[in-house]
Amino acid sequence: MANTILIGAQWGDEGKGKIIDVLTARADIVVRSQGGNNAGHTVIHRGTKFVLHLIPSGILRRGKICVIGNGVVIDPIALVAEMDGLRRLGIKIDNNLLISDCAHLVLPYHRLLDEQRELRKGHVKIGTTKRGIGPAYGDKAARTGLRISDLMQPILFSKKLQAKIRENNSILAALGAEPISFREVNESYLAAGEKLRPFAGNTVVYLHRALERGKEILFEGAQGTFLDIDHGTYPYVTSSNTTAGGACTGPGVPPHRMDRVVGVMKAYTTRVGEGPLPTEDRQFAEMLHNLGREFGATTGRARRCGWFDAVATRYACMINGIDELAVTNLDGLDTVDPIRVCVAYRLSGKRLDVPPCDAAQLNNCEPIYAELPGWRKSTHSARKFSQLPAAAKDYLKYICKLTGAPLSIVSVGPARGQTIVV
Ligand code: GDP
Ligand code: IMO
Ligand code: MG
C-alpha cells in the first residue's frame, strides 16, 4: 500500500474514519497529523460504533501502531477520557500508542476563550466545536503555548501554567467570564500527564526508523480541505492545515516519502458550522435528517447538506494532489431523483470554475447545476462496482471525472463490509 495520506476533500465528516478503517488493514502505522478533539471519526468495529476524536482510528485493529504527531493539539483530559472509554469497550491501548512530546496542549482557558469569542461574534460566529482549538493554535503561533514535554516536567509545567492562567484570567475577566483556578487545572492536568507519560516521546524519530524498515504508514487527515486555515473558506475554518501538506509538517515526514494521496468525499456535500456552502439545499437536508443521517459526530449538531459541488472538489484535488478518490455515502442518494451536481458557479453574471478566496463572494455564488437521473434502488448490499445500478455507476464516473481523479473506493453504508474496491 505504501505511505498514504488520506484527506477530506470537502468540509469535513466525509467518512474519513470509515475509509481509514478499511485502509488500516494493510498499514502498519496510523498517524494523526493535525487538529484536535474537534474531529469525530466514526468507525463501526465488530458491530459497535466508535467515534474517535484524538486517537487515530487504527487503534481498533490489533497489531497497528498509532501515532499522535507534533502538529496535533491535545487536551490531555479529553485524551485520557477517550483512552478510558476505548478500554471499557475492550480496546487494548499500551505500546500501540505514541504521543509526540512536541504536541501542544489545549487548556481550559482555550475552551473558555473559544466560547467567549464565539458569543461576541453573534450572528457572524464561526460555529466552532468549542473545544478550544483556535485559541490553542493561536498560542502555538504566538510561541506562548505549553506542550506535552512541559507536562512531563511537573515543576516546570506548574510554573508556566501559573503565568498562563494569570494572563488568561485577566483576558477572561475583560470578557466578563469567570476566572480559572490554577490549583484545579494544575492538579487535573498533572494527573492526566502521569497517565500519558508512558506514551509520550519523540514520534518523528519513531516514524523515520519505521520508514527505514519499510513499514507502511497511513496519515489520517482530520477536518477537510475547505476548513484549512490557508485554503479554506476563511474565517469559517479551523486553525490547522487540513490539506495534504499538513500530513508532512505535522508528523515531520518529508513530501518525497509520501506515495499517494487518497481524497475522501461524500456523494453529496455537508458542512457543520457556519460559512458559505453554495450548494446547500434545505429540502435535501431535511430528507437526510429524517433518515437519521448527518448529525455531527463530535457535537451532535445537524449538518447542513447540499448537492455535490464539483467546483470545490476539483479545487481540493489540485491543492492536495489527490491520486485516488473514495466516495462515501452513495446510499444517501438512493431515493433521490433527479440528482443535481454543481459544475460551476455564477457570480455577478460571470462563470467561475474555482471558488473565490473571499467567503462573502463564495456565499453569493450561484451554483450552475447539471441534472442526472437517480437510481431509486438501495445500494446497501452492493459489494462490487458491477452490482451497482447503471445510473449510480454513471453518477460516480461523472463526479470523479469532474473532480479530476480516478475512483478507487465506493462506500454504500457505514459498516466495514459495505465497501466496494474499484
Ligand atoms: P469523518 O469525520 O470524515 O470520519 O466522518 P464522520 O464519522 O464524522 O461522519 C461520517 C458519517 O457517515 C458517520 O456517521 C459514518 O458512520 C457514516 N458513513 C460513512 N460512510 C458511509 C456510507 O457509505 N453510508 C452511510 N450510510 N454512512 C456512512
Ligand atoms: P472531522 O475530522 C466537520 C468545523 C466546525 C467549525 C470550524 C471551526 O470529524 O471531519 P473548530 O472547533 O475547529 O475551531 O471549528 O470547523 N470543524 C469540523 N467540521 N468535521 C470536523 O472534523 C471538524 N472539525 C472542525 O464545525 O465550522
Ligand atoms: Mg467527523
Side-chain angles (χ1 to χ4, degrees):
M1 168 171 107
N3 300 319
T4 300
I5 299 175
L6 181 136
I7 48 90
Q10 294 161 321
W11 277 270
D13 300 331
E14 294 90 348
K16 297 178 295 294
K18 145 124 198 205
I19 304 300
I20 284 282
D21 176 59
V22 169
L23 297 180
T24 298
R26 289 167 56 195
D28 300 302
I29 301 169
V30 185
V31 182
R32 267 286 301 273
S33 312
Q34 42 67 228
N37 61 337
N38 49 349
H41 297 173
T42 314
V43 180
I44 314 281
H45 174 70
R46 297 193 180 138
T48 304
K49 179 173 150 176
F50 290 83
V51 180
L52 296 137
H53 299 289
L54 272 165
I55 301 178
S57 305
I59 201 77
L60 303 179
R61 296 215 192 220
R62 280 195 174 268
K64 310 293 172 179
I65 306 294
C66 290
V67 175
I68 301 179
N70 301 29
V72 176
V73 287
I74 300 176
D75 179 334
I77 309 284
L79 178 53
V80 168
E82 188 171 340
M83 289 163 74
D84 289 345
L86 287 170
R87 284 179 175 136
R88 274 196 299 276
L89 291 166
I91 304 300
K92 175 185 96 92
I93 306 177
D94 44 39
N95 54 1
N96 54 344
L97 178 68
L98 297 169
I99 303 167
S100 167
D101 53 9
C102 289
H104 276 251
L105 301 178
V106 179
L107 285 133
Y109 47 81
H110 293 133
R111 281 198 305 276
L112 288 173
L113 287 172
D114 194 356
E115 204 177 301
Q116 288 298 323
R117 285 178 191 161
E118 284 283 272
L119 269 174
R120 261 154 194 78
K121 281 199 169 109
H123 73 283
V124 291
K125 68 174 184 192
I126 297 166
T128 72
T129 60
K130 300 206 179 103
R131 298 297 189 268
I133 304 299
Y137 276 113
D139 269 358
K140 172 178 166 172
R143 296 152 297 175
T144 59
L146 300 182
R147 305 195 290 177
I148 291 283
S149 61
D150 295 313
L151 190 59
M152 294 301 117
Q153 304 171 69
I155 296 170
L156 175 87
F157 175 77
S158 300
K159 210 168 144 195
K160 287 190 178 180
L161 180 70
Q162 194 156 29
K164 287 297 292 180
I165 289 199
R166 201 175 302 129
E167 175 195 342
N168 280 282
N169 272 348
S170 31
I171 300 172
L172 287 168
L175 293 170
E178 291 294 311
I180 290 172
S181 149
F182 161 71
R183 201 178 48 80
E184 278 171 30
V185 177
N186 191 45
E187 261 174 36
S188 60
Y189 269 60
L190 286 178
E194 288 317 307
K195 292 192 177 160
L196 299 180
R197 188 178 294 282
F199 306 95
N202 188 325
T203 54
V204 174
V205 171
Y206 174 80
L207 289 172
H208 281 262
R209 294 217 170 117
L211 286 169
E212 278 163 22
R213 284 183 288 135
K215 298 287 180 197
E216 303 200 352
I217 307 179
L218 185 52
F219 296 86
E220 172 172 355
Q223 292 81 49
T225 299
F226 294 96
L227 293 173
D228 184 285
I229 183 78
D230 290 306
H231 303 287
T233 54
Y234 191 90
Y236 302 97
V237 292
T238 189
S239 300
S240 63
N241 282 115
T242 61
T243 44
C248 295
T249 51
V253 176
H256 66 285
R257 287 281 176 269
M258 303 297 184
D259 299 298
R260 67 166 177 168
V261 180
V262 176
V264 185
M265 57 191 203
K266 276 183 178 144
Y268 46 93
T269 306
T270 65
R271 170 169 210 166
V272 60
E274 308 304 315
L277 187 66
T279 62
E280 185 165 16
D281 185 299
R282 283 174 214 287
Q283 225 181 327
F284 179 52
E286 208 179 298
M287 186 278 287
L288 290 166
H289 293 150
N290 286 339
L291 292 172
R293 303 173 69 125
E294 303 308 345
F295 292 92
T298 295
T299 57
R301 291 176 290 176
R303 294 179 184 140
R304 297 156 63 197
C305 306
W307 303 106
F308 186 82
D309 184 342
V311 180
T313 58
R314 190 161 53 227
Y315 199 64
C317 193
M318 185 166 80
I319 294 172
N320 296 295
I322 293 173
D323 299 301
E324 293 171 28
L325 288 167
V327 178
T328 69
N329 288 274
L330 181 70
D331 53 304
L333 296 174
D334 282 355
T335 57
V336 183
D337 190 15
I339 304 171
R340 299 174 108 186
V341 172
C342 170
V343 295
Y345 300 150
R346 191 174 288 114
L347 180 67
S348 312
K350 276 200 194 120
R351 185 187 160 107
L352 296 186
D353 294 306
V354 294
C357 160
D358 183 64
Q361 283 182 20
L362 182 57
N363 204 35
N364 288 331
C365 281
E366 237 178 86
I368 300 174
Y369 286 116
E371 264 188 13
L372 277 81
W375 43 93
R376 292 178 165 274
K377 260 189 212 121
S378 170
T379 53
H380 279 130
S381 53
R383 295 293 175 270
K384 287 185 186 153
F385 192 73
S386 60
Q387 292 168 344
L388 288 170
K393 287 190 269 193
D394 289 345
Y395 179 77
L396 288 166
K397 284 180 197 158
Y398 184 69
I399 61 171
C400 292
K401 186 160 186 259
L402 285 177
T403 300
L407 177 68
S408 68
I409 294 174
V410 183
S411 173
V412 292
R416 202 176 270 168
Q418 291 175 303
T419 309
I420 299 169
V421 178
V422 181

